[in-house]
Amino acid sequence: MQHNLFTTMRSLKIMDGCKGTQVYAFNPSGPNTGGGGGGGVGDKLLNHLQDHLRVNSIRSKLNRGFQAPPNTAPNVVPENLLPHGLPKTDLLEPRIEPCLKSVDFAETLADVYRRIENCSQFEKYKVYLEQCVIFRGLSDPKLFRRSLRSARQHAVDVHMKVVLAAWLRFERREDELIGYSAMDCCGRNLECPKASLVSGYDPESIYDSCSCSRTPREEVDDEILMGHEECSTSEEDGDMSFCIGDEEVRCVRYNIASLSRPFKAMLYGGFKESRREKINFSQNGISAEGMRAVVIFSRIKRVGSFDPHTVLELLSLANKFCCEEMKSACDAHLASLICDMEDAMLLIEYGLEETAYLLVAACLQVFLRELPSSIHTPNVMRIFCSSEARERLAMVGHASFALYYFLSQIALDEDMKSNTTVMLLERLQECAVESWQKQLASHQLGVVMLERKEYKDAQHWFEAAVEVGHVYSLVGIARAKFKRGHKYSAYKQMNSLISDYSPAGWMYQERSMYCCGKEKMMDLKTATDLDPTLSYPYKYRAVSLVEENQLGAAISELNKIIGFKVSPDCLELRAWFSIVLEDYEGALRDVRALLTLDPNYMMFDGKMHGDYLVELLRPHVQQWSQADCWMQLYDRWSSVDDIGSLAVVHHMLANDPGKSLLRFRQSLLLLRLNCQKAAMRSLRLARNYSTSEHERLVYEGWILYDTGHREEALARAEESISIQRSFEAFFLKAYALADSSLNLESSMYVIQLLEEALRCPSDGLRKGQALNNLGSVYVDCDKLDLAADCYTSALNIKHTRAHQGLARVYHLKNQRKAAYDEMTRLIEKAQNNASAYEKRSEYCDRDMAKSDLIMATQLDPLRTYPYRYRAAVLMDDHKENEAITELTRAIAFKLDVQLLHLRAAFHESMGDYISTTRDCEAALCLDPSHADTLELYKKPREQINEQQN
């Protein structure tokens, strides 16, 4: 009913912003570097690519509706073998991360944890926001989301609640779920749009069910009261009148005087109006109807029954005459009416003009909950982008670092080089007060200016970040100097950095940019030794090998990092090399996989859409039917070839894009590859393409589970089962329940759920997973024979990972040789077998274990068990310093609770209580509930207190 009240106010159309499409125009005459391959099919394919580049403009990745052009016979250009030549080492550059990066992350985390524990309740949200910024630079988005929830939990004012609740919603991307609108509520105070507009500190209530769906009694009460009060506005009820034009509005002098001190002064003070029965009020910008509403408000103190026109009049009058109670009532009522973008655009100006805090908050909430689409709406961005706009927001209490950090991060993701991004970052810098805020804003402005090739400005902002303590910005200064032609100065800059601080991989990576030959390769090797997760050294070495015509070795170099860290740029490079080798199946596999990670990826330095390259490669590989695809998927899944599996699923989705089951399979593969953002996108698509209610509920449950809402996920699973019993609903429920500490009773319930799942129809891929999980629960319940049966059944349907579970059973039965053999079989079958080497090490003697763990680390340096094992062995041999060095080496690029806890324990055993405390605090920053660390944390604090006393 209220929503319709705005219709008469909308005389002007609010212009919707359009997201422009950038067209890449380019010169196709790339240098012919004479890559591998001869004539025939290879020449035709590569000439087809070249012809495409010569005659077509490609839509940018902003164009989400790509359609492959029809097959047409290309003109053959024999002299051009590649569409853009081969990649050049001179054109490769490492990325400067647009985040806070510490030279000692453990100390930074420990400091944040200490301040969270020691600050006042009302200040906690600020420190949690800083923690969010630090976690943004780490690889686990769950840490960021957890910290964001904590910040929202401890938020005090409405503005911060609105910003953080909208950000949490954005992280779940509910806007991408069909049937959801921006203002829909998730059912909890944490993200509820109405709960966000309630001021006050109540950290325990955020996970409670919200009351936004209940029918408020205020409107009913208002209407009842309004009916009574309207009867009492006759002449005999008043003792004075306000004259507005030709109309008189009768009122009670005392009631009007009670609205504010100015009214009291006018009606009871020394002014002539205090002696008049009739007061001319025509020049005060309020209509007779509005004044009648004032009279009614003076009696009932409510505005719920007035239409928005009238409430706006009351708001304006309240500001003029300092009627705080009436202003608050108008502000709250108007805020409650904001439902969509049109409402918000219509009333934001009123709110800013009248400094209506809640009204502006409600409008901002709509804009923020419509992100990222609203960032492309000029009328929305006009409210945020300019200095004047920020000052207007600040006047109403709605300009904050948190707001502009949220907006600028989305702008960075959407288009780093846009003017909007620059303006939002400039406003972020203006809002920065604390040192870390200034570091972040200045550093990100430096990164953006570097991308825009405004090198002088980039250097200025990087220097500003360094000046307030951000050491990593020295990399930006060096890069800006290099771009301005000062290569030696850049080299000296990085040399000095390496000398002044504990060496880190990114330091050597950057210095390698400014030297050549053996010195460059040595720096890249050191960078990889210190931080094997940096992709640039692998890419540079691979392209160097291609320039030496060693394509096989180049692909092997890329395989090293793709084996544990999958990224579109490395997959693209490997596909590029495969085309030269005429390995079109390998190239197509990698292009399909990278398009799964980024559906809008532009190949060959942004000059060809990945989907078009797929169309060009397809005729040169064996064609598969959908049945063939399922067979291929089984083979790759059973050989633990996740990238190959991704490619097959991408192929199947091209033929059947609406297949929810395939989208769900895709999300599972992406999670296994630690590509959580892409996995969530696939899950949302699975949910959107669901053809039944029970299936949709399951996918919503997985989305909730993966974003940390376990109880809601269980509720979705139970609701799905109530509609129709299905494998996926039972499996989701079992998986979510097994995530907590299980006692015998709850373990038996999980077993029942998995058995129910196995009775429902499903394919072998999922049943193999269920059998594997069932085997694990049986092992935990000490039912080893039943566990072995489950693992054997899983192996019979090609669930290769079940070898690991069967090995565990043999080990618990003291059959170490059988366990070792089982893991050897897994190593032989699995393409991705780092975990197999790691697990096999548990079933052999120390020397063989050491060899297996070395192999595990080489295949996947992100696995933490090998470092912990080697460190423990060194401690056993009384080599304490070497043990700590082993852990420190891993902690430098993999901040992990177990690594930090073990290093803390080693420090404690050596009597170094300060270092113990630091590592415990860093670990607890990552996981505040880690029981072993909490226990260990007590001892050094007691020792330090005793020493101080």
Side-chain angles (χ1 to χ4, degrees), residues 243-264:
C243 300
I244 300 172
D246 297 332
E247 298 188 56
E248 287 187 21
V249 179
R250 201 77 177 149
C251 64
V252 176
R253 183 182 294 268
Y254 174 81
N255 289 345
I256 299 299
S258 68
L259 291 176
S260 71
R261 295 178 73 176
F263 269 125
K264 184 177 181 180

Side-chain angles (χ1 to χ4, degrees), residues 382 392 680 743:
R382 175 177 51 82
R392 290 185 76 198
M680 289 301 295
N743 55 32

